[in-house]
Amino acid sequence: LPGLSAGPVDFSRDRKWITYVSYPDMTLWRSRIDGSDKMQLTFPPVRAYEPRWSPDGSQIVFMDVRFDSSWKIYLLSPSGGSPEVLTQSNTNEADATWTPDGKSIVFGKTDNISNAAIYRLDLKTRRVSSIPGTDGLFSPRISPDGRYISALTFGQTKLMLFDTNTKHWSSLAKGDGVGYNEWSHDGKYVYMRENRDGAGELV
């Protein structure tokens, strides 16, 4: 995609489509992986960030990170239309990630540092429930098989792992300014970025 000024990007499961945030206007787009069939999905004042395709490719979840209001999570069809806000809370919501069955979304929520935590939203009932032991954690990412959730401590010094079978959290790694945790496609590894001496490294 030569000449494309874009930020966070996500591929559909069939690897035929991408969704991305265009810079500097922060609008959400989707296109085929060769750049054809491009469509703009959001418009100002929405400031889109971190889009994620649903497992079946029928929906995209993304954040609206406006400066003048709380961050919110929205759901949108890749064919366009009006974005649907998922909750009505007044707290910041971020880092939405799909469960493998496409029935739920896991996300982080915070109104200040001490109240950061991770929640699950059932898309059918719209019921929001907290995930145990997540006080002070953010940036949830579900493993491809759905068993594990990786997350970061709010101080960004630890990468944590939650086993949904045992309901137990453990520490995977420690570092300075760790962030942008992502699972490998086979679920065997978690990648993240660490800031060292003012530069970012992938580990």
Side-chain angles (χ1 to χ4, degrees):
L1 298 173
L4 180 64
S5 176
V9 60
D10 192 44
F11 289 81
S12 62
R13 291 287 179 91
D14 61 11
R15 297 296 184 259
K16 294 180 178 179
W17 297 89
I18 60 170
T19 181
Y20 58 89
V21 175
S22 174
Y23 283 168
D25 55 313
M26 301 289 285
T27 54
L28 185 65
W29 294 73
R30 70 100 173 105
S31 75
R32 296 189 181 275
I33 59 172
D34 62 0
S36 62
D37 290 335
K38 184 167 68 171
M39 175 183 284
Q40 184 173 348
L41 299 177
T42 65
F43 301 85
V46 172
R47 298 181 73 249
Y49 197 70
E50 241 178 32
R52 301 277 181 178
W53 286 94
S54 63
D56 65 0
S58 66
Q59 294 175 303
I60 298 170
V61 67
F62 70 95
M63 297 162 51
D64 182 1
V65 292
R66 302 186 206 191
F67 293 117
D68 59 353
S69 61
S70 299
W71 292 1
K72 305 301 292 182
I73 295 172
Y74 284 81
L75 202 61
L76 181 64
S77 166
S79 357
S82 299
E84 174 192 0
V85 66
L86 290 180
T87 76
Q88 299 297 328
S89 72
N90 294 320
T91 55
N92 286 321
E93 299 168 350
D95 302 304
T97 180
W98 293 88
T99 56
D101 60 10
K103 295 180 179 180
S104 300
I105 289 172
V106 172
F107 65 98
K109 185 163 64 171
T110 179
D111 52 14
N112 57 49
I113 291 178
S114 63
N115 287 333
I118 297 172
Y119 296 81
R120 181 189 301 268
L121 169 69
D122 185 304
L123 288 172
K124 183 178 181 180
T125 65
R126 290 300 195 265
R127 179 176 176 269
V128 175
S129 57
S130 61
I131 293 178
T134 61
D135 288 348
L137 299 181
F138 78 108
S139 189
R141 299 287 187 271
I142 299 177
S143 63
D145 63 4
R147 177 172 176 177
Y148 300 101
I149 301 174
S150 71
L152 303 171
T153 56
F154 210 92
Q156 294 185 260
T157 58
K158 291 183 181 180
L159 176 67
M160 305 294 292
L161 185 72
F162 180 66
D163 187 325
T164 61
N165 287 350
T166 64
K167 310 299 182 185
H168 176 70
W169 282 95
S170 57
S171 176
L172 273 185
K174 298 180 180 180
D176 295 323
V178 295
Y180 297 97
N181 47 313
E182 295 287 350
W183 286 91
S184 61
H185 292 299
D186 59 10
K188 294 181 178 180
Y189 301 94
V190 181
Y191 298 97
M192 67 177 183
R193 190 182 73 176
E194 181 180 9
N195 290 321
R196 293 182 181 177
D197 301 322
E201 296 181 359
L202 294 177
V203 293

